[in-house]
Structures are given as C-alpha cells and as structure tokens.
Amino acid sequence: MENIVVTIARQYGSGGKTIGEMLAKDLGIPCYNVNLLKMASEESGINEQLFMQMDEKLRNSPILRMTTDVYTGDVIPPESSEFVSAKNLFNYQAKVMKRLAETESCVIIGRAADFVLKDYPNVISVFVHASEEFNLARAMERNSMTEAEMKKFIAKTDRYRADYYKHYTGREWTDARNYDLCLNSGKMGFEKCVQEIKGYMKVRFE
C-alpha cells in the first residue's frame, strides 16, 4: 500500500486531535483539520471566509438536527444557485479529502472523513472517546470556564459533531460499526493510542 490515510473522529476533550497530530508527526506525514477549508476554497474558487462562516452558522442552527442530506460524491456547478450552499461546501471538502487519499499519506481530523473515504481500501477510520470525567478534566485544563459552563460546552460541541455527521452520512456518530478502531484515550493515554493505530496499520497493510 503506497499511501495510507487515517481519519479520526473524536469526542470533545478526549484528545483525538492531539493523538492525530502525534501520529502524523511520528509518521512524518501531514495532518489536516481546519486547513481543509483553505484547500476546499482553492479547489472551488469560493472564498475561504464562506467556508468558515458556514461552519459557524451550522454550529448555531437546528438545520443539521432536523434534516439529512447524505453526501453522494457530486459537486454543484458554479452556475447553480446552490453553488455556495452548505451542501456544496461540504462536497468540495470531500473532494479535497478524496484527492488526498489518492495521492498521499496523511491524517484527517473530523469532517466525516471516515464516511467520505469509506470505499478507499487504504483508509483507517478511528473514533477516540473517553469517560465524561476524563473529557471534562482535560477540557478544564485548557479553557477558562466554570465546571458547569464546561459541561454545557462539551455537550453542545459533541451534539454538533453528532448532528453534522448524521446530516451528511445518515449514520450515528458514536456507532462503533462506522470505524475500524475505537480507542478509549482515558484508559490508554495518548501515546498508547498512537501505538495502537500504528500497530493496526502494520497488521493490516504489511
């Protein structure tokens, strides 16, 4: 297998982003997260600010929870009135992810990447989770909120991620069947999670 892509979905506070960055550094490969928005902007010609604004708009809107619009692989042409719709902005992010999967080894954080790349044989999908207590304690270390405020923020963030995933995939975000590996970072620690992913890569591809 010439190039391998690892997608990481994660609960807030579980350290999934950190684990992904550690893995990418260990392997000497790129890690993509919000920088995918810039790449999708360059791919589509749509202003990067529109991608960022749509992210924020969806985060504060009930539209994701109320509807599903499962990704099918197409992009909407510029002449369409739907060219800068939420659906098409996602389509272009997905187009970039597919190009990455075809051309290089990398780690992709979030963005429902596991679903977008589900038909690629060189992709490993990971879900990182931990106990509510672990996620809260770690989040409290990194944010200046009260415990009550932090609990609400974690719940809101995870609900948004679940709604985003369900909207674009039709699947449940926390369903273990969507992923190759589900890792409890609270029990294993970040370094062991990295080693577990590398071990899976070795067993599967070597």
Side-chain angles (χ1 to χ4, degrees):
M1 192 68 62
E2 291 188 2
N3 61 297
I4 299 172
V5 175
V6 179
T7 69
I8 297 184
R10 76 284 186 218
Q11 290 182 321
Y12 188 88
S14 68
K17 178 172 175 282
T18 301
I19 290 166
E21 291 170 343
M22 289 170 63
L23 176 68
K25 184 177 180 180
D26 192 309
L27 296 174
I29 61 177
C31 182
Y32 297 103
N33 188 9
V34 292
N35 46 356
L36 280 170
L37 300 183
K38 178 177 176 61
M39 297 167 73
S41 170
E42 293 169 350
E43 177 77 31
S44 63
I46 299 171
N47 192 300
E48 184 182 354
Q49 285 297 317
L50 286 179
F51 283 89
M52 298 174 69
Q53 290 166 8
M54 186 61 72
D55 258 18
E56 192 60 31
K57 180 180 178 182
L58 291 176
R59 186 177 294 272
N60 295 295
S61 167
I63 188 171
L64 290 181
R65 199 173 311 117
M66 296 168 59
T67 63
T68 55
D69 196 353
V70 176
Y71 170 71
T72 58
D74 302 316
V75 293
I76 300 171
E79 58 270 19
S80 170
S81 61
E82 294 294 304
F83 182 61
V84 294
S85 63
K87 176 178 182 176
N88 208 36
L89 296 185
F90 181 86
N91 290 345
Y92 271 103
Q93 292 175 65
K95 185 177 181 181
V96 169
M97 288 188 273
K98 286 183 171 181
R99 186 178 75 240
L100 292 173
E102 291 164 3
T103 58
E104 65 178 64
S105 293
C106 62
V107 175
I108 302 177
I109 310 291
R111 307 281 157 188
D114 62 281
F115 181 82
V116 171
L117 303 177
K118 61 184 170 56
D119 296 325
Y120 285 71
N122 61 324
V123 173
I124 295 170
S125 56
V126 180
F127 184 80
V128 179
H129 62 99
S131 68
E132 182 179 342
E133 294 76 19
F134 178 89
N135 292 345
L136 176 62
R138 185 169 177 276
M140 290 291 290
E141 292 174 357
R142 298 157 53 234
N143 296 277
S144 55
M145 296 184 191
T146 67
E147 185 171 307
E149 289 171 338
M150 195 72 249
K151 282 182 177 179
K152 286 183 181 179
F153 181 81
I154 291 172
K156 181 179 180 181
T157 301
D158 282 350
R159 184 169 63 248
Y160 166 69
R161 290 176 178 175
D163 290 343
Y164 180 97
Y165 190 84
K166 181 71 175 284
H167 181 79
Y168 289 114
T169 73
R171 298 179 176 184
E172 297 299 327
W173 181 56
T174 55
D175 189 337
R177 292 172 295 184
N178 299 329
Y179 308 100
D180 297 311
L181 290 174
C182 292
L183 303 176
N184 187 327
S185 58
K187 291 183 177 179
M188 296 181 66
F190 296 173
E191 185 58 45
K192 286 185 179 178
C193 284
V194 170
Q195 295 306 316
E196 188 71 19
I197 297 169
K198 288 173 63 180
Y200 180 86
M201 293 170 68
K202 185 174 182 178
V203 169
R204 180 166 158 187
F205 294 122
E206 290 185 6

